[in-house]
Structures are given as structure tokens and as C-alpha cells.
């Protein structure tokens, strides 16, 4: 399969490319603002996801697309740059796929669409949060990702197979090892405390390209556990009394987001955790 990875040089993209190359049947091209090696198993093309013509040129001949190119945090760019990059870029990718007859687009969305990640006022309707939870983003990043999912849905109606994966708190193997040595992260108020190892996330992206799953699929791709040692059923009511008994099922190390749908549809299972070797 010929796969185009947009944003393939970034933190997540590097692991996705490595995972794709584990399958010798895949031919991988990376499109990124940063130039890659001129020779090797992967073809690298420098370009801007906000330019539709460049995206279409890079996508010619691809069977599937993995879209990772984005401003991944609202605190590292202005609101306008974050919105423009994420929304226009996502439109360009899906429109190019539609015009060129590309079969499937798998995009990186985010748990931020729910509204928790960058809002101190968010209170979930229920826990653990799943894909049916209402979306209530207050920051430009979460908003851009919600719009991105809407764009994907609109092109699914036009015949493009679309999949949106919602990771949370991506950590590299080195970062995971530091968490293990520290015994997890220190609680700092009412947060999701969710994460996903980059290797587990990369596997989910590969499976989302390969598996015959329904179009317009949205999946939380998170670890089974949280980043803190204390059970969330105890922590949450203490730091946010108004949550009541919504966290009662989050015993042991259970996380605040449900990954059950990803496990079912992708045949995926996270294997890396800071709690075990």
C-alpha cells in the first residue's frame, strides 16, 4: 500500500513512519515543512499543508493518507495560526483525497475536542468519557480539532473513508521511563491525567489504515491507566467535589477516557505503561 504521511517528521509522525515500515508491503512518503533525508526507505517531500496544490501533488498515487500535520498545542502559536493551520490543513487533505480518489484518510484529532484539556471549568457529563460524550471545546486547539472531525464527516458522505483518532498526552519511551522512575506524575488539580505511549499510538494509526472499519469512525486512543498513582475515584471528588460520584468506576489505575471502541474496531491493545516494565 502506498501511504502518504503528512507531518511525518514530528513527535508522533516519526513513530508512525517507523511502525508503517514494519510492514514490508507499505511504501511510505512523508510530507512535512521540514526536509527529510534525500535517500532511504522513505521518500520525503517538503511542503506546506495549507497549500492545496502542494498537498495534491504530494498525494498523487497514494492509496491512503495519515494526516498528522498540525499545531498540537494552543500555547505554542497564536490563535490565528493554530486555527488556520489545523482547519485549512485538514480541509486541504480531505479535499485532495476526494479529488484524487484516495480511498482512506486517517487523521489525528485529540481528546481536547471534549473540552477538558485546556479548560479549568470543564466537568464531564459522565466518566469514563467515550466517543458519545458531548463536545465542549473552549480553546482554539480543541475547536480546530472539532471542526476537523466535521470536515472528515462531510467527506465521508462524499465517499472518502475517514477515521479520526483522538490521542491524549503522547509520551515517548524516554518520557515513559521518567514517569516510571518518578512513580507517575504529581496531581495538579482537576485534569484528565490521560496519556498514550507513542509506540501504541503508532500501531493504532497503522491498524486504522489497514483494517476494514466503517467510514466516519472516531476513536479515543489512550492508555488503559492514568498518569497518577492515586485512583481517580478518590482523587477527583477531593479536587472537584461537584463531580459527585461520576468517578466511582475509576478504581485502581483506570483512566478517565474509554478506549474500548478502539480495541473492538481496530483489534488494538495498548501495551506500554509507566506502571509496569
Amino acid at each position: 500500500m502506498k501511504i502518504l504521511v503528512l507531518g511525518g517528521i514530528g513527535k508522533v509522525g516519526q513513530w508512525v513512519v517507523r511502525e508503517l515500515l514494519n510492514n514490508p508491503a507499505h511504501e511510505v512518503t512523508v510530507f512535512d515543512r521540514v526536509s527529510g533525508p534525500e535517500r532511504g526507505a522513505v521518500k520525503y517531500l517538503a511542503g506546506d499543508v495549507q497549500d492545496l496544490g502542494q498537498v495534491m501533488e504530494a498525494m498523487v498515487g497514494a492509496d491512503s493518507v495519515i494526516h498528522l500535520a498540525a499545531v498540537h498545542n494552543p500555547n505554542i502559536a497564536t490563535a490565528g495560526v493554530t486555527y488556520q493551520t489545523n482547519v485549512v490543513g485538514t480541509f486541504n487533505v480531505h479535499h485532495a483525497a476526494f479529488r484524487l480518489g484516495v480511498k482512506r484518510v486517517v487523521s489525528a484529532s485529540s481528546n481536547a475536542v471534549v473540552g477538558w484539556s485546556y479548560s479549568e471549568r470543564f466537568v464531564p457529563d459522565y466518566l469514563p468519557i467515550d466517543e458519545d460524550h458531548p463536545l465542549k471545546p473552549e480553546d482554539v486547539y480543541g475547536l480546530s480539532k472539532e471542526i476537523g472531525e466535521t470536515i472528515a464527516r462531510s467527506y465521508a458522505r462524499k465517499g472518502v473513508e475517514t477515521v479520526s483518532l483522538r490521542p491524549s498526552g503522547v509520551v515517548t519511551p524516554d518520557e515513559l521511563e521518567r514517569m516510571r522512575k518518578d512513580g507517575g506524575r504529581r496531581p495538579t488539580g482537576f485534569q484528565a491525567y490521560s496519556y498514550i505511549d507513542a509506540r501504541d499510538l503508532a500501531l493504532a494509526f497503522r491498524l486504522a489504515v489497514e483494517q476494514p472499519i466503517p467510514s466516519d469512525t472516531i476513536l479515543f486512543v489512550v492508555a488503559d491507566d492514568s498518569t497518577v498513582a492515586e485512583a481517580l475515584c478518590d482523587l477527583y471528588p477531593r479536587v472537584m467535589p461537584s463531580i459527585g460520584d461520576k468517578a466511582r468506576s475509576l478504581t485502581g489505575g483506570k483512566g478517565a477516557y474509554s478506549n474500548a471502541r478502539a480495541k473492538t474496531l481496530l483489534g488494538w491493545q495498548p501495551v506500554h505503561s509507566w506502571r509496569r516494565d
Side-chain angles (χ1 to χ4, degrees):
M1 183 187 301
K2 295 182 179 180
I3 304 171
L4 174 66
V5 182
L6 297 104
I9 297 181
K11 180 178 182 179
V12 174
Q14 296 178 49
W15 292 98
V16 170
V17 170
R18 188 177 304 181
E19 176 64 34
L20 292 174
L21 293 178
N22 286 334
N23 185 336
H26 292 329
E27 181 179 325
V28 180
T29 297
V30 167
F31 178 84
D32 203 298
R33 290 183 302 175
V34 181
S35 299
E38 294 184 14
R39 295 177 178 84
V42 177
K43 179 180 180 180
Y44 288 88
L45 298 173
D48 186 352
V49 73
Q50 296 184 69
D51 187 311
L52 177 58
Q54 293 180 31
V55 173
M56 291 189 71
E57 182 178 351
M59 200 178 294
V60 171
D63 300 306
S64 297
V65 172
I66 295 178
H67 173 38
L68 307 172
V71 175
H72 64 274
N73 184 316
N75 300 315
I76 63 173
T78 64
V81 169
T82 300
Y83 184 91
Q84 181 80 11
T85 303
N86 294 1
V87 174
V88 174
T90 299
F91 167 78
N92 286 345
V93 170
H94 286 83
H95 190 65
F98 171 68
R99 293 292 299 273
L100 295 172
V102 174
K103 180 180 179 181
R104 181 175 295 186
V105 176
V106 181
S107 300
S109 184
S110 169
N111 69 310
V113 297
V114 174
W116 201 344
S117 298
Y118 300 102
S119 171
E120 297 179 357
R121 299 179 296 177
F122 176 80
V123 177
D125 289 7
Y126 55 84
L127 289 166
I129 292 173
D130 59 19
E131 292 81 0
D132 296 324
H133 193 284
L135 307 184
K136 306 175 183 179
E138 296 181 8
D139 65 280
V140 67
Y141 175 70
L143 173 63
S144 72
K145 289 300 185 178
E146 180 182 10
I147 295 172
E149 290 185 1
T150 301
I151 291 170
R153 183 171 299 112
S154 71
Y155 278 90
R157 299 189 191 105
K158 295 161 76 73
V160 180
E161 295 179 5
T162 66
V163 182
S164 298
L165 303 186
R166 295 175 176 173
S168 175
V170 180
V171 297
T172 63
D174 288 344
E175 291 170 329
L176 191 75
E177 181 60 28
R178 285 197 293 272
M179 286 175 59
R180 180 178 293 120
K181 290 180 179 179
D182 293 340
R185 289 178 174 159
R186 179 180 299 179
T188 55
F190 186 59
Q191 299 183 23
Y193 300 112
S194 56
Y195 75 104
I196 182 67
D197 184 278
R199 293 164 292 184
D200 289 334
L201 178 57
L203 175 59
F205 272 104
R206 179 173 67 78
L207 293 173
V209 167
E210 297 174 346
Q211 295 299 318
I213 59 179
S215 183
D216 189 22
T217 291
I218 297 173
L219 302 170
F220 279 111
V221 181
V222 296
D224 290 327
D225 59 329
S226 73
T227 61
V228 294
E230 183 178 2
L232 296 181
C233 63
D234 298 323
L235 174 63
Y236 282 164
R238 188 173 72 251
V239 298
M240 178 67 75
S242 63
I243 201 173
D245 64 352
K246 292 178 183 177
R248 63 184 178 279
S249 67
L250 303 183
T251 57
K254 292 179 182 177
Y257 291 95
S258 171
N259 58 18
R261 189 174 297 179
K263 290 177 178 177
T264 298
L265 292 183
L266 297 179
W268 170 82
Q269 175 66 49
V271 298
H272 300 285
S273 169
W274 68 269
R275 298 173 193 268
R276 56 181 180 268
D277 296 330

